[in-house]
Amino acid sequence: MDLETFSPGSGRLEPRAALRTDAPSVDLNGTWRFRLSPTANVPEDFAGPDYDDSGWDDLPVPSHWVLHGHGAPAYTNVVYPIPVDPPRVPDENPTGDYRRVFDLPEGWTGGRLRFEGAESFARVWLNGHELGFSTGSRLPVEYDAGPYLRPGRNVLAVRVHQWSAATYLEDQDMWWLPGIFRDVTLTRSAADVFVRASYAADGRGTLSFDGPGTLSVPELGVENLEPGTEITVGVRPWTAETPHLYDAVVTCPGETVRLRVGFRSISIEDGVLLVNGRPLLLKGVNRHEFHPEHGRAVPYETMREDVLLMKRHNVNAVRTSHYPPHPDFLDLCDELGLWVIDECDLETHGFGGFGWRGNPTDDPRYEDALLDRMRRMVERDKNHPSVIMWSLGNEAGVGRNLAVMAGWTRERDPSRPLHYEGDRSCAHTDVYSRMYASHAEVEAIGRREEDPLDDPELDARRRQLPFLQCEYAHAMGNGPGGLAEYQELFERYPRLAGGFIWEWIDHGLAHPEHGYAYGGDYGEPVHDGNFVIDGLVFPDRTPSPGLIDLKKVFEPVKFEFGDGVVRVVNGHGFTDLSHLRFVAVVQVEGETIAEHRLDVPAAGGECKLPGFPDRPGGERWLTVRAELAADEPWAPAGHEVAWGQALLTLHDPAPNELLTSFTRAATEPADGAGVSDGEAGQDGGSRDGVGLRYGGGAGARDELIAGDSAFDAATGRLVRLFGTEVDGPRLDLWRAPTDNDRADGLADKWHRLGLHRLTHRVEEITAGEELVVRTRVAPAATNLGMLATYRWTFDGGLRLVLDIEPEGDWRDPVARIGVTMTLPGSAVDRVTWFGPGPGEAYPDTGMSARVGRWSATVEELQTPYVRPQENGHRADVRWAELGGIRVSGEPVFGLTARRWSAAELAAARHLPDLVAGDRLHLHLDLAHQGIGTATCGPRPLPAYDLLARRTTLRLRFDRA
């Protein structure tokens, strides 16, 4: 068989809609016999009905053979894993042969074999007769099985080649996973139906359909509507917020088809994207199909959980990157309510590295294949109200074949706009789409002040198109940062229709050693590392901090607080607030002292707050929550949709009187350190009951004693805190780099500068009314440094004032400014703190963190990013209790507590590499560098750059 053919297939039936039908069918999923060969040059005798396959293995269908011990997965983002020489493919071409024996039901006649998806070239035989072949891995294909079916025993044989000429159309930033990975069915259904249901703002809908038979919608009183006849009826519209569906029945010859019809209309006016006459703001995510054990063979229950998670986190839209999903997923979007951009199974990104020379998008030999893929998507998914745009594909450059695809689609379905990002001219699209445009560029586009195109006519046309970011805020590792700033722009400018975060899930494959694998973990000669780990949920679908933040940023309700009132702003596009209840809670230092229901008008507006008790003792915070008033299909009553917070009063405790002096344990400097007596008595005595003594026996270090705490007299470092052995605190300027730090180039700059290997030189120690330790902190091989002056005072607790002054020309941001110290690991199991929580937060992330009192084990404080990196920082902490120690900020500090060092965290490639040691590593920070989204997109906004500056960190340590 010629695998280098440009033809999309042979022997196939015309594409048609995915339909629910009462026509008889045989489910051919299950256990198949399987054999893998290293090349395509294998005899075809296996297709014979009497072939002996007893020596073959069993393989489940749907599945990918590389996930069942046959070969191995491989991950690339842009580059092809085979030589780029279209349409040619290597001789080393893994080829999987499948056999399935099934019994035909008694009395069965006719029928079609339907394959929902096989990667990448599938050739089919039934009872030894070749039915044909097909490409287009993520699209359905049907063959006429009727002439070759036999009563009783039948043998279906399929040969799947991993590489073919079609591979050049499927370079879609994902694992290469060959096999029959979607459902296989024998069906007697042959009907094709196209229902058109539009909505007008006056509450009326128009209904018509194409296909055989007649259409009935009992709820609307529609009976036996003839094809091509259009009627107008009173209806409730379909939207993602109000996904009202009407059950429709099409009575066709030989079968009855059931559909769920949603009435909605998409239009564009003056550059604004409208649904049902109202502006649409897409709060979306990109979704690859992925499961850590099954790859793209995603179980239905997992698809449903994806949609539920999206809805519960205020996501309202999905782009099916970069191919049509399993048809069940679109049914769920119809039912539960998500706007969908349905994307064609096309990406040729790897040609970009060669200036797009030979790109199939502009190769007339590939025209039929590209048009075939567009037709099969549109025909399969045309009845879904959730699908509001067709996308021609992704990152496939420009070329003549886009015009062919767009022209056919507009003629077939003029009701939906066309999307494609790769052509800046938008010559064949109805929306202006970009990916990873910076905040500044997005604002310019919102103002219609973007850089002009060379062609004035195309430029004028593009300025009248709505703008969306089909990808932005790359969710790789810790991040993404900048979400709130993007959303503010989307909401400010009507032309901006929102966008889609890249992406929904980390594509980490379950691995016995690594926990989850990414590129390179299977020995691939060419791979793109952990770039496939870039999702809002971890591989097991646990929400990441990025998704929790996104929920806050996407909230459909906003709160504005004034004197005794809260203004509730309805941000829904298509519904009021009547489905929500509002609860106001007042807490003092995180302890609830009052809770009230609020009477908020359905349209939103100003609401008077009740009187709340005032109790001294700390910060008094008001939190207003918007919750579901009743069960919804996607979440139970009480599910929190949105929240807002305001500080009511702040009770400042009286400043501590710092009474007790420090003294040192010897009158002579130790190890050459410059120690000045200050106010201490010349005899080395003490005041206020704080004594001096040498620690331990012979050879023990000199110590400066403050109650049951002590400092090393030679270095001034704290060595004992309230009886607990500690080491530090010392100035720290580095963090284990995040994926975004690496992509931004900052990680390399920090490494070259040596921020991970700072040296500390004590210049002077003065012991008196306060202990003053002056140091210079700097890495080797540079003249840059930080002058760090530690000022300690004691009044039963310890107070630290750390003055930091840069020395030299610090041009680049530093990772953090703070101190690090260690404690015995056994001393701390759980951390309780007052401040924002419960999750991590960095300068441009952590929008979901609210002020309260929180508690977590040290293990729970860690964020399990698939590739370990800086994580777990709690920002703006007022106080924290760790074992028997209480740390307070003056006024706040950043807190991180781990059972491994930052160096160990940076060295780890997978989570199992992190092994808890016998020390607790505690970071108490003044500030952190922003996170940004530089892995793909902009670096942190300038406001979040942490530049070296003169500054002061103030902390207090007490017994808990």
Side-chain angles (χ1 to χ4, degrees), residues 875-891:
D876 296 333
V877 173
R878 279 65 163 172
W879 56 258
E881 293 181 352
L882 305 98
I885 299 169
R886 179 183 175 104
V887 185
S888 303
E890 296 184 352

Side-chain angles (χ1 to χ4, degrees), residues 1-9 37-42 44 65 82 85-97 119-125 130 132-136 159-169 366 369 373:
M1 187 66 193
D2 183 8
L3 299 178
E4 298 173 354
T5 178
F6 293 98
S7 170
S37 301
T39 73
N41 298 318
V42 187
E44 299 174 1
W65 69 63
I82 61 174
D85 185 22
R88 299 173 182 86
V89 295
D91 292 338
E92 298 81 8
N93 189 350
T95 296
D97 289 332
E119 183 175 330
S120 72
F121 183 112
R123 192 175 170 197
V124 181
W125 292 262
E130 184 171 354
F133 78 91
S134 188
T135 61
R159 172 163 287 178
V160 178
H161 303 281
Q162 180 163 12
W163 310 127
S164 68
T167 298
Y168 293 102
L169 307 180
Y366 272 105
R373 289 169 183 243

Side-chain angles (χ1 to χ4, degrees), residues 567-589:
R567 183 168 178 264
V568 182
V569 180
N570 181 20
H572 293 91
F574 303 90
T575 189
D576 60 22
L577 302 178
S578 58
H579 64 296
L580 300 175
R581 65 179 180 228
F582 293 84
V583 180
V585 177
V586 175
Q587 293 183 323
V588 174
E589 288 291 295

Side-chain angles (χ1 to χ4, degrees), residues 515-585:
Y516 293 111
Y518 49 77
D521 286 336
Y522 296 97
E524 308 100 298
V526 176
H527 65 85
D528 284 296
N530 69 316
F531 204 73
V532 76
I533 308 295
D534 51 6
L536 292 164
V537 297
F538 298 129
D540 65 356
R541 285 174 162 76
T542 299
S544 76
L547 181 59
I548 306 301
D549 277 356
L550 193 69
K551 178 183 178 182
K552 179 64 179 168
V553 171
F554 280 177
E555 282 180 344
V557 181
K558 306 294 184 186
F559 302 93
E560 299 170 358
F561 294 92
D563 188 11
V565 299
V566 57
R567 183 168 178 264
V568 182
V569 180
N570 181 20
H572 293 91
F574 303 90
T575 189
D576 60 22
L577 302 178
S578 58
H579 64 296
L580 300 175
R581 65 179 180 228
F582 293 84
V583 180
V585 177

Side-chain angles (χ1 to χ4, degrees), residues 192-244:
D192 186 22
V193 173
F194 190 178
V195 175
R196 294 178 170 88
S198 61
Y199 179 77
D202 61 358
R204 309 288 288 175
T206 59
L207 177 67
S208 65
F209 86 104
D210 296 332
T214 59
L215 172 70
S216 298
V217 186
E219 188 178 349
L220 297 177
V222 176
E223 297 289 341
N224 299 321
L225 184 68
E226 296 288 336
T229 302
E230 182 176 282
I231 61 172
T232 301
V233 289
V235 296
R236 294 170 57 189
W238 188 97
T239 73
E241 295 170 7
T242 58
H244 189 80

Side-chain angles (χ1 to χ4, degrees), residues 106-180:
E106 192 170 337
W108 183 288
T109 58
R112 299 170 172 225
L113 277 168
R114 184 177 178 94
F115 293 79
E116 295 291 347
E119 183 175 330
S120 72
F121 183 112
R123 192 175 170 197
V124 181
W125 292 262
L126 179 61
N127 293 322
H129 299 276
E130 184 171 354
L131 302 183
F133 78 91
S134 188
T135 61
S137 298
R138 285 150 284 275
L139 291 159
V141 60
E142 291 184 325
Y143 302 97
D144 184 5
Y148 310 109
L149 286 169
R150 300 174 179 174
R153 182 180 184 270
N154 286 261
V155 178
L156 175 60
V158 183
R159 172 163 287 178
V160 178
H161 303 281
Q162 180 163 12
W163 310 127
S164 68
T167 298
Y168 293 102
L169 307 180
E170 297 178 2
D171 185 28
Q172 290 146 320
D173 184 11
M174 59 188 181
W175 292 99
W176 296 90
L177 300 173
I180 304 172

